[in-house]
Amino acid sequence: MNFVTTEGRSAPQHNYSSSSPVSSLTQQLPAVPSDQPLVSFIVPVYNEADNVDAMVGEIMAAGVDVSNFLGDAAFELVVVDDGSTDETVAHLNMLVERLPNLSVVCLKRNYGQTAATAAGFAQARGQIFVTLDGDLQNDPADARRLIELLLRDDLDIVCGWRKNRQDKAMTRVLPSKIANWIIGKSTGVQLHDYGCSLKVYRAEVAKSVPLYGEMHRFIPALASQDGARICEVPVNHRPRTRGVSKYNLSRTFKVILDLMTVVFFKRFVTRPLHMFGRLGMILMGLGLLGAVYLTVDKFILGHNIGGRPLLMFSALMILSGVQLISTGLLAEVSVRTYFESQQKPIYSIRRVLRPQ
């Protein structure tokens, strides 16, 4: 199946067969105790009482398929209830009693999908994370293909692409395509479908990304700043048959605001003065040009400049420029305090090779 890398190039075809060399795929992962899962399925849910039983059943079947493919490796399912007010928790309580590899994390209230995803990452014990939505629109059977691709090509994140999306065209599909284009252009990580929850991560990559606001959809962009290797592959997408969608157009504004944060962190997190200083210098330059012109007009040409709008504009530009540069300096102090107080490096090492 073809997939598209973040650079936009078509990648070669791969054969996802049951005869794949499992040992060669998994040897790159550290050995784990027999009672510790290798793969963790993580599913945030909110008021999905009509779907949760079928969802858990399908993921368990997909987990068995993944386990067999990886040489009887253990797997777990972590369901994070994000403050549901229906019978979702009651259904999960009954399932936990029958399924030993099912864990349920109940949040105190509805925090949102990003917080629920972060809670799932924190509770999961596997080395490979598989995230899905709880509405049965993602197909858990696709997990095996994505995991094989992650291991075969030594990737860090494999993203699903709902190429044939089964949602309303005008209210869901079109706004999503526009948002994906804007996000790709802004972050430099070109994906067709940032909103698809079906993704596979290496655990250390997923846990290294701080999640706030609505940042769960930006994990690939945030991880790319540490050199994460990412690709995208088409996956099956199914129409919602039960329950009510929790998404609406109001989320667009949240996405735009979070995108500004992502762009800042991706480009200027270790050098904020470069951003604020650049804007400040431009504004100061405009203000100084206006000031020079008015000075010449006043003292050489003898014109009155007291009531000129350009005078106010020039003063405003100079003051704004000074303020932006000052903000950049304060941000530099904060960034240095953040990194130095935690002795946190500004780089990320993938591996170290030494002669034997």
Side-chain angles (χ1 to χ4, degrees):
M1 178 177 291
N2 288 327
F3 67 92
V4 180
T5 66
T6 57
E7 290 80 12
R9 299 188 297 270
S10 294
Q13 291 188 351
H14 294 270
N15 179 26
Y16 302 97
S17 64
S18 58
S19 60
S20 300
V22 175
S23 60
S24 64
L25 290 178
T26 58
Q27 66 183 359
Q28 59 182 280
L29 298 171
V32 298
S34 57
D35 61 341
Q36 181 175 335
L38 179 64
V39 178
S40 297
F41 292 84
I42 301 169
V43 186
V45 296
Y46 176 64
N47 289 346
E48 293 290 356
D50 295 333
N51 290 313
V52 68
D53 294 285
M55 178 267 293
V56 170
E58 288 194 21
I59 294 178
M60 287 296 171
V64 171
D65 182 42
V66 169
S67 176
N68 293 335
F69 168 67
L70 295 177
D72 295 325
F75 73 95
E76 67 174 351
L77 168 58
V78 179
V79 178
V80 182
D81 177 71
D82 189 23
S84 295
T85 56
D86 63 359
E87 298 300 315
T88 298
V89 175
H91 284 262
L92 291 171
N93 284 338
M94 290 187 291
L95 291 169
V96 165
E97 295 177 358
R98 295 187 282 117
L99 300 171
N101 52 347
L102 170 63
S103 300
V104 178
V105 180
C106 297
L107 303 185
K108 290 183 177 181
R109 63 174 178 83
N110 179 237
Y111 290 91
Q113 188 171 354
T114 296
T117 301
F121 286 171
Q123 295 295 323
R125 298 176 296 151
Q127 296 182 30
I128 297 173
F129 291 172
V130 182
T131 59
L132 308 97
D133 274 336
D135 56 11
L136 287 175
Q137 290 194 262
N138 296 138
D139 188 351
D142 284 323
R144 172 179 160 173
R145 293 191 295 108
L146 272 62
I147 290 173
E148 182 175 359
L149 183 57
L150 181 91
L151 297 175
R152 185 187 301 280
D153 288 358
D154 194 20
L155 300 169
D156 296 304
I157 303 175
V158 179
C159 304
W161 169 21
R162 297 166 295 183
K163 190 172 183 179
N164 298 311
R165 186 170 175 179
Q166 303 299 309
D167 283 320
K168 294 181 179 179
M170 295 305 297
T171 59
R172 297 289 298 278
V173 178
L174 180 60
S176 178
K177 287 185 177 181
I178 296 172
N180 288 319
W181 183 83
I182 294 173
I183 295 170
K185 291 296 183 182
S186 300
T187 65
V189 182
Q190 302 286 350
L191 297 178
H192 293 90
D193 192 359
Y194 269 90
C196 181
S197 293
L198 180 52
K199 294 182 176 69
V200 173
Y201 306 88
R202 292 186 186 271
E204 65 272 16
V205 173
K207 290 187 174 184
S208 68
V209 177
L211 294 178
Y212 305 95
E214 297 283 338
M215 290 291 186
H216 65 277
R217 70 185 72 250
F218 296 115
I219 293 177
L222 292 169
S224 71
Q225 71 184 22
D226 286 330
R229 291 165 294 191
I230 305 165
C231 83
E232 186 179 47
V233 60
V235 294
N236 185 28
H237 189 245
R238 305 179 293 195
R240 177 186 270 271
T241 57
R242 295 185 291 266
V244 179
S245 174
K246 316 304 185 296
Y247 297 91
N248 53 58
L249 290 176
S250 66
R251 289 204 173 194
T252 303
F253 301 103
K254 298 178 183 178
V255 171
I256 293 173
L257 294 174
D258 284 330
L259 177 59
M260 295 170 63
T261 303
V262 171
V263 172
F264 174 80
F265 271 92
K266 183 174 174 62
R267 298 183 182 179
F268 302 105
V269 67
T270 59
R271 48 190 180 90
L273 184 59
H274 287 195
M275 184 187 80
F276 291 106
R278 185 182 304 170
L279 293 174
M281 293 295 290
I282 292 173
L283 295 183
M284 283 187 65
L286 292 174
L288 289 173
L289 284 176
V292 169
Y293 171 79
L294 291 174
T295 300
V296 172
D297 201 28
K298 170 68 175 178
F299 293 103
I300 296 180
L301 301 180
H303 295 156
N304 182 22
I305 63 171
R308 302 277 289 276
L310 182 59
L311 179 62
M312 296 297 296
F313 175 80
S314 300
L316 178 62
M317 291 297 100
I318 293 173
L319 291 174
S320 298
V322 171
Q323 188 172 31
L324 280 173
I325 292 174
S326 299
T327 301
L329 290 171
L330 291 174
E332 284 281 339
V333 172
S334 298
V335 166
R336 291 172 185 268
T337 301
Y338 169 74
F339 282 102
E340 293 176 9
S341 64
Q342 302 182 72
Q343 296 185 342
K344 183 179 177 68
I346 60 173
Y347 56 85
S348 178
I349 296 175
R350 186 178 303 280
R351 62 173 65 93
V352 177
L353 302 177
R354 292 189 176 95
Q356 299 297 322

